[in-house]
Amino acid sequence: MNMQNTMSHEEIVRSKLTALRCEHRDLDEAIAALSAQQLTSSVALQRLKKQKLSLKDKIARLEDELTPDIIA
């Protein structure tokens, strides 16, 4: 018996969204922790913020992919 567990495109996108949101939340916590420290490297903080913004853009693109276009 050859059973395949295949996910639909929408399920794959939703799974990616969940992972990206989790990573985004983790970065937010890391940024907050670094900001609380007095001897924080501004370069490291900027790098994390840039990474977080990139994740936010990816999340927005995937959300747009799931939202159907409605022509009014």
Side-chain angles (χ1 to χ4, degrees):
M1 189 181 327
N2 189 8
M3 295 186 102
Q4 292 180 339
N5 290 335
T6 57
M7 294 174 64
S8 70
H9 177 70
E10 184 175 331
E11 291 171 329
I12 292 169
V13 171
R14 289 189 189 282
S15 177
K16 286 180 183 178
L17 266 173
T18 301
L20 288 175
R21 285 180 179 141
C22 183
E23 190 176 346
H24 186 269
R25 189 173 40 254
D26 290 346
L27 274 174
D28 198 30
E29 291 172 4
I31 289 169
L34 266 179
S35 296
Q37 295 177 359
Q38 291 182 358
L39 300 174
T40 302
S41 167
S42 62
V43 174
L45 197 56
Q46 286 175 335
R47 195 171 290 142
L48 287 176
K49 287 181 178 182
K50 189 172 183 179
Q51 203 175 358
K52 183 181 167 192
L53 186 58
S54 174
L55 281 174
K56 186 177 179 181
D57 290 342
K58 288 178 185 178
I59 290 169
R61 273 187 251 118
L62 288 176
E63 286 173 341
D64 285 346
E65 192 175 318
L66 289 176
T67 307
D69 292 334
I70 300 174
I71 300 173

